[in-house]
Amino acid sequence: MIPLKLKADFESKSAPYVVKLLPTESSGADGDGVASVRELSPGILTCTSSNGVFTYYLQGDNEWHGDVVLCIPEAGRVERLFRANSKNNTLLFTERCDQLCVMCSQPPREIDSAWRLPLYEQALGLVEPNSIIGISGGEPTLYKSELLEMLNRLGDQRSDLVFHILTNAQHFSESDRPLLKEVHAKLKVIWGVPLYSASKVEHDLIVGKEGAFDPLIKNLFLLASTNANIELRTVLTGLNALDLPSLSSFVSRHLSFISTWAIMATEPIGFAKANHHRVFFDHSIMPQPICSAIDICEIRGVSVKLFNFPLCTIPGPYRQFCAQSISDWKTKYLKICDSCSQRTSCCGFFEWYNDKWKWQNVEPLGEVG
Amino acid sequence: MISASNYTPLRFRDIGDELLITNEVGDFGLFPLDTVERFFAGTLPEKSVDELKTLGVLIDNADSWQLMSLARRLKKQNAVAKKVHYLILIPTLRCNLTCSYCQVSRAPLAASGFDWNDKRLDEFSAYLDTIEPDHLKVEFQGGEPTLRPDLISKIMEICLTKAKSADFVICTNILDLSPEVLKLFDREDTVISTSLDGPLQAMSSNRTKDDNLSIRTQKNLEYLLKSYGPGKVSALPTITEDNFSNFRELIDTYIELGFQSIFLRPVNYQGFARKKHAKMHEEVARWNNYYTSAIEYIKERNRSGYFEEFYLASLARKIFGHEESGFVDLRSPVSFLSDYAVIDFNGKIYPSDEARMLSRIKHVDLAVGDLTDGVDSAKILSLNSAGVNQVHEDCLHCVYMPFCGIDIVDDISRYGRIDLPKADTWFCNRHMFMFDFLFQKVQSKQRDWLDLFLRWARRSTEPSNAYALFS
């Protein structure tokens, strides 16, 4: 695992601030929002900016050049918001959520962290060109106007950025249409929206919110009408696995305007772990619903991907749909993967995959013939 | 409570011992036979009411997403192209064969005044200026277009100058492959389409009247397939009653040559064909029997590889795969001249090739303009207003309306009018039969047929576990 929150000693306990870390000798090290960094001894950095000076303790051999970090002097902590050498930078926009999904990997907390939002925007102004920025939660659109207005402003200054925003799409309304259109005209935003079943009863049950289904579908149409790029996401659990073919039929019938449908293996942490008996599904011994869902998409011309499914757990002809979807900082490979020839093209396993969450058919693969 | 605002027109038909119901865009469901009676009696069980809502036949309220979904799909299905992008050109009406069913009232080989001249070429060039085409697909028909490779070449050049890009189909009997013609075939932007009515005997009796000529075309086809591969060469049979018993030989001929598709197309009741095959229009049942036998044989042949009957496969792709067929004789609204036009040897413009043939035999004048004076919008509008099955009184309530087309040119050619009840027309009967055929297999869950439809829908020999598309 790559640590994202690190210890630091601050000379003064000022309010939180954001800086980009650049070596002292590099050009731009004296720019706005930049901390000029000297490596005192291996793993210990002194960072100087107009906000003050702090000493930063790396763990392991963390790369830091160009990272954009959030400094919280009061807590003696630095959060690595954007790692310059990673493709998996995600902002946790808020920990609050209005749904309570049975397999949530990041259970919501009722914490008011609205103070972070302006800092996030500053940080986004500092990231490397053409970065892909994830925004997740909680439910980011609980701060919908802050989010959309932030995107609109960034669209003027940083149209090189690509955003991937996870949202339950419960909170959009007709009145958001103009702003959404404006944002989509300026910026590439991929909206990752979860849909778990074609049956509203089942979907509502899984997300723990009665009446969630109809506004969700309606808002998918609303998003589509503003030229949104939509990645529909379905986490596969014991509750909805057998309904996957009928969901595929539903998606290809009503929602063919989406860019991609991602069928995802559960991340075994948070509520998923607590609700193991309802959530766990071993697709490695029962891949049929996945195969059927893909067949339907192939016939109907819907782009479909498999996220978080190690290649060996999916039948051969369907492995082409697997994506390397697990964020680098929480990916692991098992011992048995050492002799697998496909390891470099496989998504691997979540860090929290273990004997209590174990698929039967996991095996090293030979060369692709 | 039933009110006009919360249900769409009910379209239903008995299939086996169930009732097939379709919605506005062609989603379907099978229900108990008494569903409609019970709906109007207000005694429909809640489960069926929910199923009708899921199907989008009953709508909860005007604000529901089901209505948006229907509207979006309807708009997509009926999208009319804004520019002509498919042209059929007849650079010459002359031909070196006299096929028994010749649909185009051919001109003799030595006749004069039946080829495009320089003036026509200039007019064609000016016509393309009015279209401002992006990509253009051009099909050379005849007559036999390869009698004039020089003209084909010139026309290609004009197309490539006026359009952003273009590709070409040369429809030819491949009787004579001169070096000039082969040079055209060599082009990467050009494919070849030829007629193939089956083995030697069928070719001789239908087309060449001479076994030596038949052998020559056979050899030429083998040569073309060997030189260019089946991706570049396609073949089309014309099927007359005389050939009905030979469907195995016909299909075997196609498979042996490496083709993966055959379009079992009844002889068109037009042109010379009208006089010689007049019995055809009363023979829908005979055709349907023939078609069934042929399709069953094709199913057998699919045990050892991919082979489709193009028309039934297109319907399967449309109904189960939601693919737009783009097949001009099976669409509604017909929107003549919106994306497609036929230009005859004399510069006259027609909405379809059938309309051209019909006009050639002076049955009716369906020309909608010419290269000199441009198109006659008023005439196009009056044709188009009869070409919308969604509002036609005979089609509006048909369970197959969302999948079907409307073909007023066919109606005129057979009956001299467009107002005959559709149920009495060849077009309607032939298509009702095909749709019934497909849905009977769905209703009775005949796995071997459903697997075949899925293969065709996916254009693959791989089995698909996609049975959810049938429910």
Side-chain angles (χ1 to χ4, degrees), chain A residues 81-326:
Chain A
L81 295 181
F82 300 112
R83 291 170 293 133
N85 68 344
S86 172
K87 287 183 177 140
N88 304 115
N89 288 304
T90 295
L91 290 174
L92 192 70
F93 215 64
T94 174
E95 294 198 63
R96 297 173 56 222
C97 190
D98 56 310
Q99 294 191 161
L100 216 53
C101 298
V102 66
M103 77 309 248
C104 182
S105 60
Q106 192 122 34
R109 295 194 296 175
E110 204 39 58
I111 295 173
D112 181 9
S113 48
W115 61 270
R116 288 172 167 263
L117 304 184
L119 293 167
Y120 285 166
E121 185 168 347
Q122 281 176 36
L124 285 164
L126 295 169
V127 296
E128 296 295 306
N130 306 311
S131 294
I132 300 170
I133 309 295
I135 291 183
S136 82
E139 173 48 47
T141 62
L142 289 179
Y143 297 91
K144 183 180 69 180
S145 57
E146 287 87 344
L147 175 68
L148 294 182
E149 279 155 22
M150 178 186 90
L151 291 172
N152 196 28
R153 284 189 296 270
L154 285 164
D156 294 328
Q157 290 140 29
R158 293 300 305 265
S159 59
D160 59 302
L161 300 179
V162 173
F163 285 88
H164 184 255
I165 305 175
L166 298 183
T167 174
N168 60 25
Q170 293 289 301
H171 306 286
F172 294 111
S173 67
E174 283 297 324
S175 58
D176 297 322
R177 193 192 298 270
L179 189 51
L180 282 166
K181 268 193 166 167
E182 200 178 338
V183 167
H184 295 147
K186 294 179 190 171
L187 264 185
K188 179 162 185 194
V189 180
I190 301 157
W191 297 92
V193 182
L195 170 65
Y196 297 125
S197 173
S199 145
K200 64 172 90 172
V201 177
E202 289 298 318
H203 176 85
D204 289 358
L205 188 79
I206 290 172
V207 301
K209 181 179 172 185
E210 211 172 310
F213 183 84
D214 282 324
L216 163 59
I217 305 295
K218 204 168 165 180
N219 282 335
L220 285 169
F221 282 94
L222 173 70
L223 278 173
S225 75
T226 64
N227 299 321
N229 191 316
I230 300 169
E231 173 192 86
L232 201 67
R233 296 160 74 94
T234 302
V235 176
L236 197 66
T237 71
L239 294 169
N240 63 351
L242 299 186
D243 294 337
L244 205 59
S246 92
L247 179 57
S248 183
S249 173
F250 179 92
V251 168
S252 62
R253 174 176 298 177
H254 296 293
L255 308 175
S256 60
F257 51 76
I258 60 168
S259 304
T260 311
W261 181 30
I263 301 169
M264 308 169 66
T266 301
E267 183 171 351
I269 195 166
F271 288 161
K273 212 163 120 187
N275 293 323
H276 181 284
H277 60 293
R278 298 167 72 199
V279 173
F280 180 78
F281 179 78
D282 190 349
H283 65 274
S284 78
I285 53 172
M286 199 185 178
Q288 291 85 346
I290 297 175
C291 303
S292 173
I294 292 176
D295 287 347
I296 289 166
C297 285
E298 284 286 279
I299 289 171
R300 291 257 174 98
V302 173
S303 152
V304 60
K305 289 198 179 99
L306 296 178
F307 283 5
N308 316 340
F309 291 95
L311 292 173
C312 59
T313 66
I314 295 293
Y318 297 90
R319 285 177 195 153
Q320 54 174 309
F321 297 97
C322 293
Q324 284 192 299
S325 49
I326 302 179

Side-chain angles (χ1 to χ4, degrees), chain B residues 175-224:
Chain B
L175 192 61
D176 290 310
L177 299 182
S178 69
E180 292 79 16
V181 170
L182 286 174
K183 215 174 134 195
L184 289 173
F185 291 172
D186 281 342
R187 296 173 62 115
E188 278 190 7
D189 58 6
T190 302
V191 295
I192 306 154
S193 174
T194 192
S195 296
L196 178 63
D197 287 1
L200 190 74
Q201 177 231 333
M203 288 296 273
S204 295
S205 79
N206 279 0
R207 296 179 56 80
T208 61
K209 318 281 183 293
D210 177 345
D211 281 353
N212 290 323
L213 293 182
S214 300
I215 290 167
R216 200 156 104 204
T217 58
Q218 272 184 350
K219 288 222 150 74
N220 282 343
L221 180 56
E222 281 161 24
Y223 169 79
L224 292 174

Side-chain angles (χ1 to χ4, degrees), chain B residues 5-36:
Chain B
S5 65
N6 61 9
Y7 67 98
T8 60
L10 279 166
R11 300 186 184 84
F12 51 90
R13 179 174 176 86
D14 292 5
I15 301 289
D17 57 2
E18 289 184 275
L19 191 72
L20 176 71
I21 299 181
T22 56
N23 71 4
E24 285 292 301
V25 293
D27 297 332
F28 59 88
L30 289 159
F31 292 80
L33 279 178
D34 59 357
T35 298
V36 173

